Amino acid sequence: MDSKDLNAETYSLDFLPRLVGSFASPASENPTVAIMEAAFRHHRLHYRYINCEVGHDKLKAAVEGAKAMGWRGFNCSIPNKVEVVKYIDELGESARIIGAVNTVIIEENGTTRGENTDGKGFVKAISDVISVQGKRMVLLGAGGAARAIGVEMALAGVSEIVVLNRDESGHALVDLLNKCTPAKATFVLWNQTFDIPANTDIVINATPVGLYPNVEQRLNINVETLKPDMLVADCIPNPVYTLFVKDAIGKGCKHVLPGMNMLVNQAVIAVKYWTGEDVDAEVMKNELKRVLGL
């Protein structure tokens, strides 16, 4: 290579990566940044992922700031998945039905589109293990993650869904499922210890109970009613082995899916939205195991 070629190569370097990130509160326990950065490095994508502490009070300003700084998009996690809908221009079909967004795409002209990859990631994780067709499901929680999972699982073929929530707002999710999906949904007010019905096939925790740093929190369920033929899944990625996951393993449940399965699957979909590239899920999963010491 002569000096002319070297100079051409030097001046072609790009020191302005495309930016994506996450708006959540709490944010420090979210390992998404690690797996996103690992995928960007592996596939040589000129992107950086910025993890930000943002709650409801700063969310509007954060969205405007991301647009002003030319971000390509961002994730939303607790407590922003429903609130962010107010501040974006349009919704994808799935996000519109769910009424919650976890992935926002910012177009070159500054317009924003909200998508929801949580439910899709969960369906993929569970479908890799069992068929969801005709299955009966208990869904713990009725917030943004629960809405995404409930809708996507129903559209994928789950026939019956029991939704538990600590207040009456859970009726809204049940009404949505009954109106917009083929599944039959019922509501249970979660004001006492809940016994999982014996005919349940799938049990999913879509609450933040047990999320770091509150790792000693327990779900208000009777763990004795978890049976070996039930598939048990948790949304929480950190810690990987929540007390709920450990209880399911201890009760001999044949299929137990920690939250990292959904985290990796939804991250793969988000990267596709932002970059147009298909990234290797195993790269993300291996990095997640590394940073969590597994």
Side-chain angles (χ1 to χ4, degrees):
M1 178 182 294
D2 61 27
S3 60
K4 181 179 180 180
D5 291 332
L6 180 60
N7 288 335
E9 181 177 274
T10 300
Y11 284 110
S12 70
L13 292 175
D14 182 355
F15 295 103
L16 184 64
R18 303 304 304 269
L19 297 180
V20 292
S22 175
F23 299 153
S25 183
S28 61
E29 89 295 334
N30 187 349
T32 300
V33 59
I35 67 174
M36 289 291 193
E37 292 271 329
F40 295 157
R41 288 192 302 270
H42 179 80
H43 293 280
R44 297 185 178 182
L45 298 172
H46 198 38
Y47 278 72
R48 296 302 304 271
Y49 190 94
I50 313 298
N51 195 24
C52 304
E53 182 81 24
V54 177
H56 282 176
D57 58 331
K58 303 293 185 183
L59 184 58
K60 181 179 180 181
V63 173
E64 292 302 317
K67 292 166 64 176
M69 291 186 288
W71 284 35
R72 184 69 182 96
F74 55 89
N75 290 134
C76 275
S77 191
I78 296 169
N80 299 322
K81 295 183 181 184
V82 175
E83 183 75 8
V84 76
V85 173
K86 299 177 183 178
Y87 310 123
I88 53 182
D89 299 313
E90 61 182 272
L91 299 178
E93 181 180 5
S94 175
R96 179 176 50 77
I97 295 174
I98 294 164
V101 164
N102 81 325
T103 302
V104 174
I105 300 93
I106 303 176
E107 305 294 351
E108 296 294 341
N109 63 2
T111 61
T112 51
R113 185 177 86 252
E115 299 285 355
N116 199 304
T117 66
D118 278 342
K120 292 180 176 65
F122 225 94
V123 169
K124 175 66 166 58
I126 291 177
S127 297
D128 284 344
V129 178
I130 65 169
S131 169
V132 303
Q133 290 292 325
K135 296 297 191 295
R136 295 174 291 270
M137 185 172 86
V138 168
L139 182 59
L140 308 176
R147 291 170 70 88
I149 292 166
V151 167
E152 296 287 1
M153 290 291 284
L155 294 177
V158 167
S159 61
E160 298 178 26
I161 302 176
V162 177
V163 176
L164 273 69
N165 201 51
R166 291 181 298 176
D167 59 50
E168 299 288 346
S169 65
H171 281 294
L173 174 53
V174 168
D175 291 344
L176 175 69
L177 292 170
N178 284 326
K179 179 180 179 181
C180 298
T181 78
K184 176 185 177 183
T186 56
F187 174 73
V188 173
L189 182 62
W190 200 5
N191 57 1
Q192 59 186 353
T193 303
F194 182 73
D195 290 345
I196 307 296
N199 66 348
T200 301
D201 301 300
I202 300 169
V203 185
I204 298 176
N205 174 38
T207 79
V209 173
L211 179 66
Y212 181 87
N214 302 310
V215 296
E216 298 303 319
Q217 287 182 340
R218 280 190 177 276
L219 293 162
N220 192 16
I221 63 170
N222 180 1
V223 298
E224 299 300 324
T225 58
L226 292 173
K227 302 303 180 185
D229 57 348
M230 296 178 182
L231 182 147
V232 175
D234 204 330
C235 283
I236 293 175
N238 185 15
V240 172
Y241 296 102
T242 59
L243 291 180
F244 178 55
V245 167
K246 291 178 180 178
D247 285 340
I249 293 172
K251 293 303 172 185
C253 294
K254 182 178 179 181
H255 300 297
V256 183
L257 301 180
M260 69 175 179
N261 294 275
M262 182 192 77
L263 182 71
V264 168
N265 287 336
Q266 64 91 9
V268 169
I269 301 169
V271 172
K272 179 73 171 181
Y273 279 132
W274 294 326
T275 72
E277 300 290 335
D278 293 305
V279 294
D280 189 340
E282 286 304 309
V283 169
M284 288 182 161
K285 186 173 290 186
N286 289 337
E287 178 66 8
L288 185 58
K289 289 178 179 178
R290 187 189 70 80
V291 298
L292 296 180
L294 299 177

